Amino acid sequence: MKSKKIILLFVSVGCLGAPISRGLNIRSYDPDRHDRFDSFPTTRNTDFYKSAYDFSGVGRDDSQNNRWVAMITPEHFVAANHSSPAVGSTFTFVNASGTQESAQVASLANIKNASNENTDLVVGRFDSAMSSEVAFYPIPNFDGEGDYLGLRISVHGRDAEVGEGDIDGFEDFDDGGINSTRVYTFTYNNAAGDGDDSHGESGDSGSPSFLILDNRLAITGIHTAIFSTPGSVTTYDTFIPHYE
């Protein structure tokens, strides 16, 4: 792992010199197909190809427009530690009716690894519960990691675009200043693949990935880092079921 060049996925687009570019890379990107919104948070995209699934529980930091969190209860969310929001920051969600709902971060809790170090997973709590029209996501709990291998995930990016990937491995990620964190990977083949295949880009940290189970989104991970080779890009997601 230490010989690889790992790129953490967080950039602050407000910082001088930080790259300002589209986040999640989707092979055959089409805004009519892949974008949740024509303009966040005012105009939803009626042609979004996953509009049958409820992404309303994925909300954006008002002060950092590339930072997203995903709800796991009406009050609690998950985020990436290396791009964690601040206590007091406000997040905006667009609920199932298309109405905006906002809440402030009241507290943050670091999730620990077996060595009692902070992993790259944070659970936050808002100062008030979201309405019943904002989704919160179950965490799948299969018997073992092997049961997740090969499953197709829906991958959310920094600009509220959604692509896909196939879970292809697990490891303990320990690089770029991040303490040992259990992750899964999905790999994008540069040469060929499905048009919805995707990989992380700068600014995608903390955005979620989901399985579709019983016609409902179930959260599997949040984006942490990427590793590029001449022929592929591997995205590392913190594996949330490991810490459930």
Side-chain angles (χ1 to χ4, degrees), residues 24-156:
L24 190 72
N25 185 299
I26 301 172
R27 188 182 308 279
S28 299
Y29 170 70
D30 178 354
D32 288 338
R33 177 174 174 81
H34 295 107
D35 287 0
R36 288 176 57 203
F37 298 91
D38 291 328
S39 177
F40 181 86
T42 56
T43 311
R44 291 188 292 185
N45 174 18
T46 57
D47 295 320
F48 176 47
Y49 84 121
K50 290 187 180 286
S51 60
Y53 306 105
D54 192 350
F55 285 86
S56 64
V58 183
R60 194 178 78 176
D61 190 335
D62 290 355
S63 65
Q64 185 73 62
N65 65 11
N66 61 311
R67 179 185 286 124
W68 298 79
V69 299
M71 302 299 292
I72 55 171
T73 81
E75 291 183 68
H76 297 85
F77 60 86
V78 287
N81 191 17
H82 77 271
S83 64
S84 179
V87 171
S89 58
T90 300
F91 278 76
T92 295
F93 297 77
V94 178
N95 68 25
S97 298
T99 301
Q100 297 174 40
E101 297 189 28
S102 296
Q104 286 190 332
V105 177
S107 62
L108 297 164
N110 292 301
I111 303 303
K112 305 288 187 175
N113 61 24
S115 300
N116 202 37
E117 301 167 320
N118 293 340
T119 67
D120 200 39
L121 179 61
V122 167
V123 174
R125 181 178 63 82
F126 285 125
D127 60 352
S128 59
M130 310 305 293
S131 80
S132 61
E133 290 201 273
V134 173
F136 61 92
Y137 302 108
I139 300 169
N141 187 20
F142 299 164
D143 288 341
E145 291 178 347
D147 295 321
Y148 295 85
L149 290 173
L151 296 183
R152 190 79 166 163
I153 52 176
S154 296
V155 181
H156 192 284

